[in-house]
Amino acid sequence: MKKLDEQEFEKLFIKGKGRSSNVFNALINLKIGEGILIEKKDWNRKAGPNTLVKYIEKKHGMKFKCGKLEGDSGWAVKRIEQVFNVAENKKAETKSTPKSSNTNDVSHENRLMLKSELVVFYLGRMAFHKIERIEESIKACCNQFWKQNESLVKELLLEVMKSLEEQGHIIIENEKTYIPLRRT
């Protein structure tokens, strides 16, 4: 095991979770101005790489220039713009009034956004596991939202759990949470 400083970490190519393809990883790790050539042999999907490029643009807030090469020999993709926060961009698009410059409002919005993401993540885990120890839920949320302050994630998750218990969506007993059976 080796401890990395910030500069060394930034130089690493990070592989995504799940079955991320080499092309996906190459696109995610491109710096502004860099490009890649995707040859026909590297691409085995029915749709062209432009669908993957559009997905990355939408989900990861990157901008690319993509085109098919002459003679159907492959595709060229070049990264052209900075990464932006996808969640903030969606809020800016849906919100018609300008944001106030007060930092308190911004931190409150970020807190609410994190809390809503925690609700969705936690309910998804509960739907899958049906019953789970609170300690394991906290660990999973801290791992999922590793970029956020860990104590803030714990605090918000406990608020979410308390609220869900009050509404009757979950039951907390013996340091475990579970989804109650509905009686009709």
Side-chain angles (χ1 to χ4, degrees):
M1 190 180 318
K2 179 183 173 187
K3 189 173 185 177
L4 302 173
D5 62 10
E6 189 173 338
Q7 294 161 344
E8 289 175 321
F9 184 80
E10 292 298 321
K11 291 178 184 176
L12 294 175
F13 289 107
I14 306 295
K15 184 176 191 272
K17 293 181 180 179
R19 293 184 269 172
S20 297
S21 68
N22 291 332
V23 175
F24 179 86
N25 293 325
L27 290 171
I28 287 291
N29 291 312
L30 282 178
K31 306 271 187 266
I32 296 173
E34 292 180 337
I36 61 169
L37 173 65
I38 305 169
E39 298 175 355
K40 283 272 192 185
K41 65 178 180 167
D42 299 329
W43 192 256
N44 55 4
R45 296 184 191 172
K46 184 176 179 180
N50 57 342
T51 56
L52 178 62
V53 167
K54 295 228 183 292
Y55 171 80
I56 293 172
E57 285 179 339
K58 182 179 177 184
K59 294 292 183 185
H60 297 277
M62 301 171 148
K63 285 289 185 182
F64 296 95
K65 184 177 182 181
C66 180
K68 194 171 189 177
L69 298 176
E70 253 182 79
D72 288 339
S73 60
W75 300 265
V77 182
K78 180 180 178 182
R79 180 155 171 217
I80 56 175
E81 284 188 26
Q82 274 291 18
V83 175
F84 56 87
N85 188 337
V86 177
E88 287 179 11
N89 186 44
K90 285 181 181 176
K91 280 196 282 182
E93 288 174 358
T94 58
K95 207 172 195 181
S96 59
T97 59
K99 287 186 178 180
S100 71
S101 60
N102 188 352
T103 56
N104 216 5
D105 290 343
V106 173
S107 66
H108 181 68
E109 285 181 9
N110 289 340
R111 183 181 170 98
L112 286 176
M113 187 60 136
L114 176 60
K115 194 171 186 177
S116 66
E117 290 173 354
L118 273 168
V119 169
V120 172
F121 178 76
Y122 178 70
L123 287 176
R125 282 187 64 82
M126 288 305 298
F128 181 75
H129 294 289
K130 307 296 186 234
I131 186 168
E132 187 174 51
R133 295 179 62 204
I134 294 173
E135 183 181 326
E136 292 174 3
S137 297
I138 291 172
K139 282 182 188 176
C141 287
C142 288
N143 287 338
Q144 177 69 24
F145 300 98
W146 60 273
K147 291 183 181 179
Q148 303 293 332
N149 182 349
E150 186 174 305
S151 61
L152 177 63
V153 171
K154 287 179 185 177
E155 175 189 338
L156 291 177
L157 179 62
L158 293 174
E159 284 180 25
V160 164
M161 292 169 94
K162 182 180 177 185
S163 177
L164 289 171
E165 181 185 32
E166 290 172 356
Q167 296 171 16
H169 297 297
I170 63 170
I171 294 176
I172 300 175
E173 287 179 356
N174 301 329
E175 296 296 313
K176 292 182 181 177
T177 58
Y178 61 89
I179 298 174
L181 296 174
R182 300 242 181 225
R183 294 182 186 184
T184 55

